[in-house]
Amino acid sequence: MRIMAHVAMVMNLDKCIGCHTCSVTCKQTWTNRTGVEYAWFNNVETKPGVGYPRRYEDQRQWKGGWTLDKRGRLVLRSGGRVKRLLSLFSNPDLPGIEDYYEPVTYDYDNLVGAPAGDDIPVARPRSVLTGRPTAITWGANWEDGLGGAPEHAGGDPNLGGELAEKVRFEFEQTFLFHLPRLCEHCLNPACIAACPSGAMYKRVEDGIVLVDQDRCRGWRMCVTACPYKKVYVNHATGKAEKCTFCFPRIEAGQPTVCSETCVGRLRYLGLLLYDADRVGQAAATEDEKDLLDAQRDVLLDPSDPGVIAAARASGIPEDWLEAARRSPVYALIATYRIALPLHPEYRTLPMVWYVPPLSPVLDAVGAAGGDQDDPDHVFAAVARLRIPLEYLANLFTAGDTDLVAGVLMKLTALRSHMRERTLGEAGDEAGLEAVGLTAGEAEDLHRLLAVAKYEDRYVVPAAHKEDAAALTAMENRCPVETSGEPAAAGGRRVMLGLPTLRRHTPGGRA
């Protein structure tokens, strides 16, 4: 067992109001520069919708993530070394600028310098890329607030087969929720494995995935390999860029900018302990529907004496162990088991998780003529909610509706219990027992989800300067590297150190 620490995030989608404050503050902090005008390290998508870039979830088209070969081994969906070498200068599996959107500026000089007259001057849009007049026809969230749903939402890759027939895009019958997205900082990142120059790397001390700008050669294989399409190319420098998880703030013990400025207080940051030796095995789980449990099994209980002893032996500081025990992320993912990863079928083992949205379930009970005080009636209504279980399952559980239903039932029981407590009653303990919660656990979960204080939502231990010196002085490896090649150390940011065109496979093979 090789214990390592990882900073992770959980987002409660019930609390996202789609205000885009997180996107704007991230944009101002990280991509307010020439060359990345079109890049949004954090964006908020309206679901159902085709997303940003368009239909990024359709891996039959974009070839992102991992798959299993005939012998059950992890392989990149984008192909092996030979294929990447042959397409080094012409990669066919890349979204075009029209799939993102063409960044624009405006003829501001026309407004400022227009002569006096009867006509009102206008500022026409011009392409930042070409400088020529253009039309604004797409954006990072064109479907926001159902604005494009009738025209575009039917192209959502999660609405395939019979589900497309079930969902009708009519105002009185449709549904929507907001999905904030950023780099998943995966345990088994496909972008790192696909990078020919070794520029993509995963930090040993906290798991954050970054790009070494000095080593990046702009091959763009990382863009293809990332199934979430959260790696961008700076068209001015030709280098890859991506979400940094605000590592300077993390090192100072502060939350990310998107978390700090979130109006809905829906984001949680914390530390997780995991067994690095089991990452490849978990990612290679044969049945896609078992990937969620396999990833949870990789995570370790920070209160277990054996885990604590092994973590100390691995050099994890005491304050980090204390932070892991207080982690709201571990509580939501492993203790209460209500947080789910985005598209686990990509086999990247993402470390940004989501609490799925719960529709107004008591309204559904009343509409069906049921008793709102009867747990059986309430739980049965979960299957008839406005947001189809199949849709949420396609997003978060590789199509397993039972797993999603279990989470929603737990949230429903919690909501019913707290509603009765608010009304001065004893609470719905029968409903809690049906979903495996005690009254005390329900109270704790309610405090965490609804009224958690700042220090309870963000438990981020500060970096240790002595660890940085130690990492500089010794060779370190990528957490999931098994190829036998030592990685080059560079301060606290440890790179894979792989030779050019050698493919590193975090699942365990080169």
Side-chain angles (χ1 to χ4, degrees), residues 357-410:
L358 179 63
S359 303
V361 63
L362 296 182
D363 291 345
V365 175
D371 183 0
Q372 296 183 0
D373 296 325
D374 188 334
D376 291 335
H377 289 191
V378 174
F379 291 156
V382 168
R384 301 191 300 268
L385 294 179
R386 202 169 190 182
I387 304 176
L389 286 179
E390 296 87 346
Y391 186 81
L392 294 177
N394 287 342
L395 276 173
F396 301 119
T397 60
D400 191 335
T401 55
D402 290 339
L403 285 175
V404 173
V407 172
L408 295 182
M409 287 178 182
K410 189 171 292 188

Side-chain angles (χ1 to χ4, degrees), residues 276-290:
D277 288 335
R278 294 165 58 189
V279 170
Q281 178 184 355
T285 300
E286 183 176 359
D287 190 340
E288 291 181 345
K289 294 182 179 179
D290 294 332

Side-chain angles (χ1 to χ4, degrees), residues 174-400:
T174 193
F175 66 95
L176 76 91
F177 63 92
H178 301 290
L179 180 71
R181 287 206 310 118
L182 64 156
C183 171
E184 300 287 329
H185 296 277
C186 309
L187 284 179
N188 188 38
C191 58
I192 293 179
C195 180
S197 58
M200 305 284 295
Y201 64 95
K202 189 172 181 66
R203 302 208 313 182
V204 165
E205 61 271 32
D206 54 19
I208 295 176
V209 176
L210 296 173
V211 184
D212 181 357
Q213 295 291 295
D214 291 332
R215 301 186 67 168
C216 180
R217 296 296 178 265
W219 301 123
R220 310 187 185 201
M221 298 300 173
C222 53
V223 179
T224 298
C226 175
Y228 305 98
K229 292 295 174 281
K230 277 300 177 181
V231 183
Y232 304 92
V233 175
N234 185 315
H235 61 78
T237 66
K239 307 282 189 176
E241 298 189 19
K242 60 177 292 298
C243 162
T244 67
F245 220 59
C246 292
F247 70 87
R249 294 177 59 90
I250 294 293
E251 291 176 358
Q254 300 175 350
T256 61
V257 168
C258 59
S259 301
E260 180 81 66
T261 59
C262 177
V263 174
R265 300 182 179 181
L266 61 99
R267 299 182 186 235
Y268 300 81
L269 283 171
L271 207 63
L272 296 175
L273 301 180
Y274 70 99
D275 185 357
D277 288 335
R278 294 165 58 189
V279 170
Q281 178 184 355
T285 300
E286 183 176 359
D287 190 340
E288 291 181 345
K289 294 182 179 179
D290 294 332
L291 284 166
L292 172 58
D293 288 335
Q295 184 172 356
R296 279 195 175 124
D297 289 341
V298 171
L299 306 180
L300 302 173
D301 183 357
S303 300
D304 185 287
V307 171
I308 294 174
R312 287 170 177 162
S314 297
I316 298 178
E318 288 296 327
D319 57 335
W320 281 47
L321 294 178
E322 176 60 26
R325 287 189 287 270
R326 295 177 46 233
S327 173
V329 171
Y330 181 82
L332 295 171
I333 293 174
T335 303
Y336 300 114
R337 302 173 75 87
I338 61 172
L340 304 171
L342 183 62
H343 290 298
E345 69 273 16
Y346 297 161
R347 300 181 181 274
T348 60
L349 306 186
M351 294 301 275
V352 175
W353 295 55
Y354 297 86
V355 178
L358 179 63
S359 303
V361 63
L362 296 182
D363 291 345
V365 175
D371 183 0
Q372 296 183 0
D373 296 325
D374 188 334
D376 291 335
H377 289 191
V378 174
F379 291 156
V382 168
R384 301 191 300 268
L385 294 179
R386 202 169 190 182
I387 304 176
L389 286 179
E390 296 87 346
Y391 186 81
L392 294 177
N394 287 342
L395 276 173
F396 301 119
T397 60
D400 191 335

Side-chain angles (χ1 to χ4, degrees), residues 15-33:
K15 301 175 74 173
C16 183
I17 62 175
C19 66
H20 300 268
T21 303
C22 53
S23 299
V24 173
T25 52
C26 175
K27 185 73 174 175
Q28 291 295 324
T29 303
W30 294 106
T31 61
N32 190 16
R33 309 173 265 113

Side-chain angles (χ1 to χ4, degrees), residues 66 74-77 79-82 84 192-196 483 498-506 509-510:
W66 301 87
L74 273 176
V75 294
L76 287 173
R77 194 181 293 272
R81 284 179 290 176
V82 174
R84 289 203 301 281
I192 293 179
C195 180
S483 63
L498 300 174
T500 302
L501 298 183
R502 176 170 174 79
R503 188 184 79 177
H504 165 68
T505 304
R509 294 170 182 84

Side-chain angles (χ1 to χ4, degrees), residues 132-151:
R132 294 193 294 266
T134 187
I136 301 174
T137 59
W138 193 250
N141 188 10
W142 204 251
E143 301 97 352
D144 194 8
L146 285 186
E151 182 179 355

